[in-house]
Amino acid sequence: MAISEIMTATAPTHQTYSELQQAYDHFNEALFDGRLPHCLITLQREKRTVGYFSAARFASLEGATTDEIAINPSYFAVVPLVETMQTLVHEMAHLWQQHFGQPGRGRYHNEEWAQKMESIGLMPSSTGQPGGKRTGDMMADYPIAGGRFLTACETLLTSDFSLSWYDRFPAEEHVLMGQNTVSAQLAGVTGASAPIKDNPALAGAVRPGGPGRKPIAETGVIEPANLQEPIQNKSNRIKYTCGGCPKISVWGKPSLNILCGNCGRNFEAT
């Protein structure tokens, strides 16, 4: 191998995106029968968003378009590797629906998407925990025991796959999320613990909250009492959804009492 090829192979940009592409290709074959087209995977730090899908977001000089799957690297070090792979596959399900199904309006995760997620071994949940709603605007998921996702993930994570680079400055709430995710409770599953727990060098480098904070190796588990106060909704407006017409929503001030003109049922804060 030429020196230039060696340097390219070890460059952080090349390593990071090659690894994400490897994971995409693996899950495409294992869970989607290799039917998904290529897309552009990007790293984006969106607050309280672990990832998103954007259809036909990029265009080439020739006028061709490709979809985007964005992953938030702020979570990489502090959530289980299984969880990061869940985020990727969650967005791949959106890509599948864009090309082979009927996406919901806006950000809505509809029943078709939910059924696809279940078929590939991920249970949709509005809370990311058992008992959450299966559909809605803001959706998470958790692995189904014995399901296809965990089988495919085990195959990937026990091969030569790894993520080489991690964000050093996750928010403290990201650490707490990583400790409480369903994936972190899985017994005997490869990748079910956060990378900071498996790698002392990484734990010594990651400083939740920013450069001026102590590394996670010194602080250990961050308890809820040590977290900053949650960000308040400064707009003073919340979303209400009709109890009988779930596709009808409005925004308004807290404590509104709204009746639906179609079915007569109350709108509920969501």
Side-chain angles (χ1 to χ4, degrees):
M1 182 181 292
I3 293 178
S4 60
E5 293 176 321
I6 295 175
M7 293 178 65
T8 299
T10 58
T13 298
H14 184 272
Q15 283 183 303
T16 299
Y17 286 97
S18 294
E19 290 161 354
L20 293 174
Q21 184 66 54
Q22 180 185 350
Y24 179 93
D25 292 341
H26 172 79
F27 290 118
N28 188 13
E29 289 294 331
L31 303 178
F32 298 93
D33 300 319
R35 298 180 65 198
L36 301 187
H38 289 299
C39 69
L40 184 56
I41 301 173
T42 65
L43 298 181
Q44 305 285 349
R45 290 189 186 89
E46 295 251 344
K47 284 188 177 180
R48 298 183 180 177
T49 299
V50 295
Y52 64 80
F53 168 77
S54 186
R57 186 58 182 263
F58 286 86
S60 70
L61 292 174
E62 292 77 25
T65 61
T66 193
D67 306 314
E68 175 189 22
I69 287 180
I71 308 292
N72 190 340
S74 299
Y75 294 87
F76 283 8
V78 293
V79 304
L81 190 52
V82 167
E83 190 82 18
T84 300
M85 297 299 102
Q86 280 176 237
T87 299
L88 176 62
V89 173
H90 177 122
E91 306 310 333
M92 291 173 71
H94 284 301
L95 190 151
W96 169 86
Q97 190 175 41
Q98 180 67 32
H99 291 273
F100 304 106
Q102 297 294 324
R105 53 102 183 106
R107 297 182 303 172
Y108 189 75
H109 299 67
N110 61 19
E111 181 63 26
E112 180 187 61
W113 174 86
Q115 290 181 8
K116 185 63 175 179
M117 287 284 283
E118 286 192 52
S119 75
I120 60 178
L122 290 173
M123 179 60 69
S125 170
S126 57
T127 63
Q129 303 285 334
K133 295 180 180 179
R134 293 176 67 256
T135 60
D137 284 324
M138 302 296 290
M139 294 298 299
D141 53 79
Y142 59 88
I144 298 172
R148 296 174 62 199
F149 169 76
L150 282 180
T151 299
C153 203
E154 183 77 11
T155 301
L156 177 67
L157 299 185
T158 54
S159 65
D160 60 351
F161 177 83
S162 66
L163 292 180
S164 299
W165 294 92
Y166 297 85
D167 190 332
R168 291 184 60 211
F169 308 124
E172 293 177 339
E173 64 190 56
H174 298 163
V175 181
L176 183 61
M177 173 185 167
Q179 294 165 359
N180 294 331
T181 179
V182 171
S183 300
Q185 315 307 318
L186 296 173
V189 174
T190 304
S193 60
I196 53 171
K197 289 188 175 181
D198 297 332
N199 190 302
L202 183 62
V206 172
R207 297 171 179 266
R213 302 296 183 89
K214 292 183 178 180
I216 193 72
E218 294 183 23
T219 59
V221 175
I222 295 180
E223 300 295 341
N226 295 334
L227 296 177
Q228 299 173 354
E229 290 296 321
I231 299 174
Q232 300 297 319
N233 179 8
K234 295 182 179 180
S235 68
N236 200 33
R237 297 170 69 244
I238 62 175
K239 182 180 179 181
Y240 295 87
T241 301
C242 174
C245 309
K247 293 188 177 182
I248 300 178
S249 299
V250 297
W251 288 82
K253 294 182 177 181
S255 302
L256 286 181
N257 186 9
I258 311 171
L259 291 177
C260 178
N262 291 333
C263 68
R265 295 183 62 175
N266 286 323
F267 276 71
E268 301 172 354
T270 57

